[in-house]
């Protein structure tokens, strides 16, 4: 299923991975507005490292920085030259990278924050610890690290931390995930609610729990992305064998929905039934006027599929402008 994402105006990268027969398997799909969707060749250590899936992707300068750490296990960080299509092992044990004011930082599974220097030179980068965001405990491993208003924001099980380049301070106590910056504010999910935070005020906007299974064993899988005009919300939920609140049950499938938020109202842009494997997670990316709505699926063996629904933003509410390709 999709594990991590990094996107810019012209290109996006999505990491997929799954666990099978005692090993983790990873791959990275590149979505390019010129070259289309394709899988890039990654170092052997990332393909099947037997330890951990890819945990973070970050675009910095002309490079994609790849982290693969979970609870103290994983492989060295890798750097991909997006122009030369080459890789470099840069060492370090990082869960997420984040570029803040043009400088690269990283956070590990124990929430220690590092400056990352010499990151574009040949050989290993230099990692220098600055501070720790809350608990120095792997059970509170950070799930997201993004830049907003010149500072880094870190999502953890005990809340959101703000890192100003020197100190990390807890600013919210909500259990959050999927931090995304849109229209001058930061958006995130907590307990199936979508929140907006502008640095001073927090607003609870919309509840997406209407897609939860009646058994409450599984909730909705969620993904966020944004461009200058809209916030995009991708959701996937199991429906087979269970009733959900706003749709009749459909046996042995899942329900995938893409919502659009323009700062004033939410719209359901696309809805489709999907067949679910053992693992499934949505992702959404925006590149040069197109929205790429990604649904990843695994069967539990060495087989993975990824369906990419492509939407032209110029035809935002015209379902005939939807294309679908499988990877």
């Amino acid at each position: 299923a999709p594990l991590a994402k990094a996107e810019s105006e012209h290109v996006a990268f999505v990491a997929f991975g799954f666990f099978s027969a005692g090993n983790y398997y990873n791959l990275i799909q590149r979505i390019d507005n010129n070259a289309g969707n394709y899988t890039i060749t990654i170092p052997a250590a990332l393909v099947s490292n037997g330890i951990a899936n890819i945990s973070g992707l970050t675009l910095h300068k002309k490079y994609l920085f790849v982290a693969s750490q979970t609870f103290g296990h994983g492989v060295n960080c890798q750097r991909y030259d997006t122009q030369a299509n080459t890789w470099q092992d840069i060492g370090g044990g990082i869960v997420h990278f984040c570029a803040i004011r043009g400088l690269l930082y990283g956070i590990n599974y124990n929430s220690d924050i590092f400056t990352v220097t010499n990151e574009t030179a040949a050989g290993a980068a230099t990692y220098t610890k600055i501070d720790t965001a809350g608990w120095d405990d792997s059970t509170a491993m950070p799930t997201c690290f993004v830049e907003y208003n010149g500072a880094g924001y870190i999502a953890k099980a005990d809340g959101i931390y703000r890192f100003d380049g020197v100190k990390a301070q807890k600013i919210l106590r909500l259990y959050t995930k999927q931090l995304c910056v849109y229209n001058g504010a930061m958006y995130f999910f907590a307990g199936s609610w979508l929140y907006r935070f502008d640095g001073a005020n927090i607003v609870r906007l919309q509840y997406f729990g209407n897609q939860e299974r009646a058994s409450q064993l599984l909730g909705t899988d969620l993904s966020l992305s944004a461009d200058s005009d809209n916030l995009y919300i991708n959701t996937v939920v199991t429906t087979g064998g269970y009733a959900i609140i706003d749709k009749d049950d459909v046996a042995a499938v899942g329900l995938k929905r893409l919502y659009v938020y323009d700062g004033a109202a939410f719209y359901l842009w696309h809805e489709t039934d999907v067949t679910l494997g053992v693992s499934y997670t949505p992702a959404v990316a925006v590149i040069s006027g197109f929205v790429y709505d990604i649904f990843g699926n695994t069967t539990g063996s060495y087989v993975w599929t990824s369906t990419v629904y492509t939407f032209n933003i110029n035809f935002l509410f015209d379902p005939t402008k939807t294309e679908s390709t499988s990877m």
Side-chain angles (χ1 to χ4, degrees):
L3 302 169
K5 178 185 66 173
E7 56 186 317
S8 67
E9 183 180 354
H10 301 294
V11 65
F13 295 88
V14 181
F16 293 82
F18 59 94
F19 180 81
S20 181
N23 289 307
Y24 288 93
Y25 292 84
N26 299 291
L27 59 88
I28 298 177
Q29 182 176 344
R30 177 171 179 159
I31 305 172
D32 192 298
N33 65 324
N34 293 319
N37 311 330
Y38 58 96
T39 300
I40 63 175
T41 302
I42 62 177
L46 288 178
V47 175
S48 174
N49 60 39
I51 300 173
N53 272 324
I54 291 171
S55 57
L57 299 176
T58 296
L59 285 165
H60 171 59
K61 298 182 178 178
K62 66 170 184 174
Y63 300 100
L64 175 72
F65 289 82
V66 182
S68 179
Q69 294 287 323
T70 301
F71 300 114
H73 303 290
V75 299
N76 286 346
C77 299
Q78 308 288 324
R79 183 186 69 215
Y80 172 67
D81 188 321
T82 62
Q83 299 174 5
N85 193 31
T86 57
W87 287 89
Q88 173 77 57
D89 184 323
I90 60 170
I94 297 296
V95 175
H96 294 288
F97 288 101
C98 181
I100 304 171
R101 300 190 299 275
L103 301 177
L104 189 64
Y105 297 85
I107 189 166
N108 68 6
Y109 69 99
N110 276 336
S111 300
D112 296 328
I113 303 172
F114 300 83
T115 58
V116 185
T117 54
N118 299 320
E119 76 278 21
T120 61
T126 301
Y127 302 87
T128 304
K129 181 180 174 180
I130 299 177
D131 195 17
T132 301
W135 304 339
D136 185 9
D137 187 340
S138 60
T139 59
M141 190 175 72
T143 59
C144 200
F145 190 11
V146 302
E147 182 185 22
Y148 169 58
N149 276 355
Y153 286 79
I154 302 159
K156 295 181 55 178
D158 63 325
I160 294 179
Y161 291 77
R162 181 183 185 275
F163 172 66
D164 62 6
V166 179
K167 298 292 295 182
Q169 182 177 4
K170 183 188 290 188
I171 60 169
L172 293 174
R173 297 185 179 276
L174 292 170
Y175 177 22
T176 60
K177 56 184 178 180
Q178 286 288 333
L179 305 179
C180 182
V181 177
Y182 161 65
N183 196 24
M186 187 168 63
Y187 291 76
F188 58 87
F189 281 102
S192 296
W193 280 93
L194 179 67
Y195 287 80
R196 180 180 65 225
F197 178 65
D198 64 6
N201 304 297
I202 184 170
V203 179
R204 193 166 63 176
L205 289 175
Q206 179 71 32
Y207 183 63
F208 287 88
N210 63 331
Q211 296 183 67
E212 291 181 0
R213 293 170 63 165
S215 67
Q216 299 298 308
L217 294 177
L218 289 177
T220 306
D221 287 292
L222 306 161
S223 178
L224 292 174
S225 187
D227 58 19
S228 59
D229 298 316
N230 301 294
L231 180 72
Y232 302 93
I233 305 105
N234 191 348
T235 70
V236 175
V237 67
T238 300
T239 58
Y242 294 87
I244 57 176
I245 295 172
D246 64 350
K247 186 177 176 67
D248 292 338
D249 179 39
V250 181
V253 299
L255 179 66
K256 188 190 71 60
R257 287 171 168 168
L258 178 64
Y259 295 89
V260 178
Y261 176 64
D262 61 5
F266 291 87
Y267 306 91
L268 177 59
W269 188 3
H270 181 246
E271 177 182 297
T272 186
D273 294 326
V274 290
T275 300
L276 302 179
V278 174
S279 178
Y280 55 91
T281 311
V284 60
V286 186
I287 308 165
S288 296
F290 288 87
V291 176
Y292 295 85
D293 181 2
I294 305 164
F295 172 68
N297 208 3
T298 63
T299 64
S301 61
Y302 304 102
V303 178
W304 69 277
T305 60
S306 176
T307 302
V308 182
Y309 300 89
T310 306
F311 301 87
N312 189 329
I313 298 174
N314 294 324
F315 300 95
L316 188 58
F317 302 110
D318 186 347
T320 66
K321 299 302 179 181
T322 304
E323 301 175 359
S324 178
T325 59
S326 294
M327 301 294 292

